[in-house]
């Protein structure tokens, strides 16, 4: 059974940092794209960053480029999202998701097959 479990969310002041983790199990980790999406109240789910667990290539949306970094520890079957210089508009529920290897790049939710339960990130001004 595929499982994705997010952790690391919380409340932080603007300009602060958080590191999210996505622990994966139930599949061959180094053969997929793992992505981070977020959804703010009343808004559509937005792709933030993704990483190919086979070759380490990454993608970051323009809204987070230069502030967020995605990385993967294949020995631990875990993907991380380091979020720096956080802004109030980064407030959302953050989800990690598993997609096929070819999903690396611009992120569309329909390309991803399995999702975690989400972790809340709140950035105060």
């Amino acid at each position: 059974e595929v499982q994705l479990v997010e952790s690391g969310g919380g409340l932080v002041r603007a300009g602060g940092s958080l590191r999210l983790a996505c622990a994966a199990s139930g599949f061959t980790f180094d053969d997929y794209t793992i992505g981070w999406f977020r959804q703010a109240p009343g808004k559509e789910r937005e792709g933030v960053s993704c990483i190919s667990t086979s070759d380490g290539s990454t993608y970051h949306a323009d809204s987070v480029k230069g502030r967020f970094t995605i990385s993967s520890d294949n020995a631990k079957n875990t993907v991380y999202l380091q979020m720096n210089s956080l802004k109030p508009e980064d407030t959302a529920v953050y989800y990690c998701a598993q997609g096929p290897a070819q999903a690396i790049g611009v992120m569309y939710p329909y390309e991803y097959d399995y999702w975690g339960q989400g972790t809340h990130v709140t950035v105060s001004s």
Side-chain angles (χ1 to χ4, degrees), residues 12-17 84-88 123-124:
V12 64
R13 288 188 175 182
S17 298
N84 298 329
S85 303
L86 282 162
K87 305 175 181 180
V123 184
S124 63

Side-chain angles (χ1 to χ4, degrees), residues 22-47:
C22 172
S25 61
F27 61 98
T28 304
F29 185 76
D30 57 353
D31 201 26
Y32 290 89
T33 296
I34 303 295
W36 284 98
F37 290 79
R38 66 186 181 186
Q39 189 164 21
K43 294 191 175 181
E44 292 187 355
R45 193 163 294 191
E46 172 193 17

Side-chain angles (χ1 to χ4, degrees), residues 38-107:
R38 66 186 181 186
Q39 189 164 21
K43 294 191 175 181
E44 292 187 355
R45 193 163 294 191
E46 172 193 17
V48 174
S49 303
C50 61
I51 187 167
S52 165
T53 56
S54 61
D55 65 12
S57 55
T58 62
Y59 165 86
H60 296 278
D62 287 344
S63 57
V64 305
K65 202 169 290 183
R67 300 188 299 122
F68 291 11
T69 302
I70 191 169
S71 63
S72 176
D73 185 338
N74 286 25
K76 295 182 178 180
N77 286 8
T78 300
V79 169
Y80 301 96
L81 185 67
Q82 179 66 44
M83 306 186 297
N84 298 329
S85 303
L86 282 162
K87 305 175 181 180
E89 51 263 45
D90 294 317
T91 295
V93 178
Y94 283 71
Y95 300 90
C96 69
Q98 179 222 60
Q102 61 266 32
I104 190 71
V106 177
M107 298 170 68

